[in-house]
Amino acid sequence: VTQADNNTLKVPLGFVALADLQTKGRGRGNNVWKHDNSANTQLAFTALWQFAGNASALASLQHVVCVAAAQASQALRIKWPNDLYTHAPPTKDTSSLDGTVAARIVTSDGVCQGKAGGVLCTASVASGKRASPPGCAHISVGDAAAVFDVAIGVGINVMPHPPFASLSDAADAGIIKHVSREEVLARLCNELEPLLMRHVVSGFDAEMRSTYTQRWVHDNHVLRVASSLSSSTQPEEVRLENVTESGFLVG
């Protein structure tokens, strides 16, 4: 994503770069995406897109990409806002030699899910002349509208990658068949393009949000939330139900 951020005007929209090695892979905040694909175990790629509209609507783009990934591999589920989880044996060691701890979640149906990947979308205001993707002309935008170049980064563990979960774990459990990273990339691109085109026209609409929550790991999850607006000193319990058009949680 870093290199794509610096070269968005030098390649056409829809360009996809598949990485065999990443030296500066990153996630949200200060998180690091470790990617040494010497064993061909991971899929990491960046796709370039352009978004025309309000910046607030741009925030939901990462959720659309998560939906595409989940639909491309029926074994992937979404952890809000942009992590990808899959079936993971609960007895599997979750710590690595460098001290990294692999995240695990037990869903409401008792299935252990482990982090197998994630999505990172990095946007910048478009400064050069380049044709927008079809459909942009149909968007009704307000005064806060702008055109953004977006680098869509996706990383997925396809083959065993201890201590992290992988699609191979799901295949070993009989949930899906074993797949190569090239197969996953092809399926994901086939899902991603029409969803991006739809997002251009309709945004993160109710149907898309429904698909997102159908594929997330948060069914019946309850959060303990401390609010400065409440007179109570005790955190309130909030059951997750949905997400907003901008991608924020609703309880």
Side-chain angles (χ1 to χ4, degrees), residues 113-198:
Q113 298 276 331
K115 183 174 179 178
V119 171
L120 180 67
C121 295
T122 305
S124 59
V125 176
S127 58
K129 293 184 178 180
R130 183 168 55 182
S132 297
C136 282
H138 301 294
I139 296 180
S140 176
V141 296
D143 294 336
V147 178
F148 299 89
D149 286 322
V150 185
I152 300 170
V154 180
I156 300 172
N157 297 327
V158 178
M159 303 304 291
H161 194 72
F164 304 98
S166 69
L167 294 180
S168 182
D169 292 324
D172 290 343
I175 299 173
I176 59 172
K177 295 182 179 179
H178 283 280
V179 290
S180 67
R181 66 172 188 153
E182 289 76 16
E183 289 177 286
V184 177
L185 175 62
R187 293 177 186 178
L188 208 160
C189 287
N190 285 339
E191 294 286 346
L192 183 58
E193 183 176 7
L195 289 181
L196 288 176
M197 296 299 298
R198 175 175 171 174

Side-chain angles (χ1 to χ4, degrees), residues 67-87:
V67 169
Q71 292 187 160
S73 172
Q74 297 298 313
L76 287 174
R77 297 177 70 177
I78 303 164
K79 177 180 176 292
W80 185 91
N82 63 343
D83 287 336
L84 300 172
Y85 275 57
T86 192
H87 173 87

Side-chain angles (χ1 to χ4, degrees), residues 14-77:
F15 176 85
V16 175
L18 176 64
D20 284 325
L21 175 66
Q22 279 184 307
T23 58
K24 295 183 180 180
R26 69 180 193 270
R28 296 177 71 239
N30 295 322
N31 293 336
V32 176
W33 172 258
K34 297 184 178 180
H35 180 204
D36 176 5
N37 204 39
S38 56
N40 204 36
T41 62
Q42 294 174 292
L43 167 65
F45 74 92
T46 297
L48 298 184
W49 190 242
Q50 197 167 76
F51 175 86
N54 293 315
S56 59
L58 180 62
S60 63
L61 186 63
Q62 63 179 338
H63 304 304
V64 174
V65 180
C66 285
V67 169
Q71 292 187 160
S73 172
Q74 297 298 313
L76 287 174
R77 297 177 70 177

